[in-house]
């Protein structure tokens, strides 16, 4: 018999049915003994896998097309009943203690509304997938740290029923930083802390994937959109640091195609700031 509410809701966004069984198995292991529900938002396929019928704590939403990461997560938020909520992708697996530790921190620290963990390479808890997750000490996030450390798949939130901005994130023009925007809005209501003991695992990314032209452009546009929406000193420092990094890389790759690519990213970020302003003006005009 299903409960009316749970301690935690785990929302999984899946674009690949072949990866979902392993993902759900790892989540079920990590939430064992915790009052929970698992909400799977499936994009691009319609068939409900047989194992969904065997677990009463699983809810399944399917769409034949890609909604975009923010819109898909919002579908899960709308039906989530947990006191806390976490968002995972279908290629991410939580450490066995990820949810247990996160709930302990949120239950026992006054005014804490979100905890952030780190993303490690699969089966290697001593690694970090991205350099920005290499922080080893616990800390309360400053306005600047919110930009540097936020990532949707390693965060557990107090479920305030806030929705993601569907103009941001994979599947949109501003194709990233939906998680940063979400965290900034959540942080306005309470404290956010970084806890290195919270770990999720992600497959190792190839160097080609990290420098993929579409990925880099998409991230640049998303960063610009998020910055323009949440203009602050911390955001300005992070945005300027990202531009400086692109310029430095352009100098390092001087006389190569890489140098041109880095300068293009700078132009993309700056032009995307202007594009966000145009969209905001158009939305105000419609209102």
């Amino acid at each position: 018999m299903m409960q009316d509410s749970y301690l935690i809701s785990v929302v999984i966004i899946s674009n690949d049915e072949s990866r979902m069984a392993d993902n759900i198995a790892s989540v079920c292991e990590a939430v064992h003994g915790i009052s929970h529900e698992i909400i799977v938002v499936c994009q691009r396929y319609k068939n409900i896998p047989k194992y969904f019928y065997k677990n009463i704590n699983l809810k399944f939403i399917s769409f034949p097309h890609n909604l975009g990461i923010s819109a898909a997560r919002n579908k899960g938020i709308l039906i989530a009943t947990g006191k806390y909520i976490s968002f995972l992708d279908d290629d991410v697996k939580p450490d066995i203690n990820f949810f247990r530790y996160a709930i302990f921190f949120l239950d026992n620290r006054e005014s804490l509304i979100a905890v952030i963990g780190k993303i490690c390479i699969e089966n290697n808890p001593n690694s970090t997938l991205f350099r920005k997750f290499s922080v080893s000490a616990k800390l309360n996030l400053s306005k600047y740290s919110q930009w540097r450390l936020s990532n949707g798949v390693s965060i557990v939130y107090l479920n305030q029923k806030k929705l993601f901005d569907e103009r941001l994130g994979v599947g949109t023009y501003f194709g990233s930083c939906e998680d940063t925007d979400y965290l900034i809005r959540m942080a306005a209501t309470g404290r956010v802390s970084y806890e290195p003991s919270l770990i999720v695992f992600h497959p190792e990314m190839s160097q080609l994937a990290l420098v993929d032209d579409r990925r880099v452009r998409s991230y640049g546009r998303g960063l610009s959109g998020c910055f323009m929406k949440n203009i602050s000193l911390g955001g300005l420092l992070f945005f300027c640091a990202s531009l400086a990094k692109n310029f430095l890389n352009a100098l390092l790759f001087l006389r190569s195609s890489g140098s041109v690519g880095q300068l293009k990213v700078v132009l993309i970020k700056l032009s995307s700031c202007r594009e966000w302003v145009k969209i905001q003006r158009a939305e105000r005009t419609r209102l």
Side-chain angles (χ1 to χ4, degrees):
M1 184 174 178
M2 295 190 74
Q3 299 174 208
D4 293 329
S5 62
Y6 297 86
L7 184 57
I8 188 165
S9 300
V10 183
V11 179
I12 302 170
I13 309 303
S14 178
N15 293 319
D16 186 345
E17 189 173 353
S18 66
R19 296 190 300 217
M20 194 163 55
D22 285 345
N23 172 270
I24 290 177
S26 69
V27 173
C28 287
E29 187 177 12
V31 295
H32 181 72
I34 302 171
S35 171
H36 71 277
E37 64 180 350
I38 301 171
I39 301 169
V40 183
V41 183
C42 298
Q43 304 183 99
R44 298 178 180 163
Y45 55 91
K46 298 180 181 179
N47 297 325
I48 301 177
K50 293 180 180 178
Y51 49 78
F52 277 100
Y53 297 108
K54 300 177 182 178
N55 191 326
I56 61 172
N57 289 353
L58 279 171
K59 298 178 182 178
F60 181 87
I61 314 172
S62 182
F63 297 92
H65 57 280
N66 193 333
L67 301 175
I69 188 70
S70 291
R73 284 175 176 169
N74 286 344
K75 299 294 184 184
I77 291 171
L78 290 173
I79 65 170
T81 63
K83 178 182 179 182
Y84 303 117
I85 190 166
S86 175
F87 305 98
L88 297 178
D89 297 334
D90 59 10
D91 58 353
V92 171
K93 297 179 181 179
D95 176 72
I96 187 67
N97 292 310
F98 177 73
F99 298 112
R100 201 173 309 278
Y101 287 173
I103 290 169
F104 175 81
F105 295 140
L106 289 164
D107 275 347
N108 291 281
R109 296 184 183 174
E110 187 178 355
S111 71
L112 194 64
I113 51 86
V115 284
I116 301 177
K118 62 181 180 180
I119 302 177
C120 297
I121 297 171
E122 196 166 13
N123 300 321
N124 186 358
N126 296 317
S127 65
T128 50
L129 185 64
F130 303 113
R131 188 177 301 173
K132 67 178 182 177
F133 293 101
S134 62
V135 176
S136 58
K138 300 177 182 180
L139 55 89
N140 290 321
L141 265 63
S142 64
K143 297 296 184 182
Y144 178 76
S145 298
Q146 290 169 16
W147 288 84
R148 189 167 69 90
L149 289 171
S150 66
N151 186 285
V153 297
S154 66
I155 306 177
V156 178
Y157 300 94
L158 179 68
N159 186 6
Q160 298 181 344
K161 287 294 184 180
K162 275 185 169 57
L163 298 179
F164 283 84
D165 188 332
E166 296 183 10
R167 296 171 296 181
L168 297 168
V170 176
T172 69
Y173 177 80
F174 298 97
S176 69
C177 290
E178 76 292 338
D179 44 14
T180 303
D181 170 67
Y182 195 78
L183 182 67
I184 288 170
R185 288 187 286 127
M186 288 290 287
T189 66
R191 290 192 303 113
V192 178
S193 72
Y194 172 79
E195 298 288 342
S197 60
L198 301 179
I199 298 172
V200 296
F201 295 100
H202 190 286
E204 187 167 8
M205 298 176 68
S206 69
Q207 288 301 310
L208 287 176
L210 290 172
V211 299
D212 177 74
D213 186 60
R214 286 179 299 177
R215 181 188 293 270
V216 172
R217 289 169 183 262
S218 182
Y219 175 78
R221 289 193 292 263
L223 175 60
S224 299
C226 185
F227 165 62
M228 293 303 294
K229 180 183 176 184
N230 302 281
I231 292 178
S232 65
L233 179 58
L236 178 62
L237 290 173
F238 187 83
F239 187 72
C240 290
S242 75
L243 294 176
K245 182 179 179 180
N246 292 134
F247 276 119
L248 179 61
N249 287 338
L251 292 175
L252 292 174
F253 296 122
L254 201 61
R255 298 180 181 177
S256 73
S257 59
S259 178
V260 175
Q262 289 294 314
L263 292 175
K264 282 184 177 178
V265 172
V266 172
L267 293 176
I268 286 170
K269 288 178 179 177
L270 295 176
S271 64
S272 296
C273 289
R274 186 173 65 250
E275 188 65 27
W276 184 269
V277 172
K278 287 169 59 179
I279 290 173
Q280 291 286 83
R281 286 175 178 170
E283 290 178 349
R284 284 196 292 266
T285 300
R286 284 198 297 270
L287 295 174

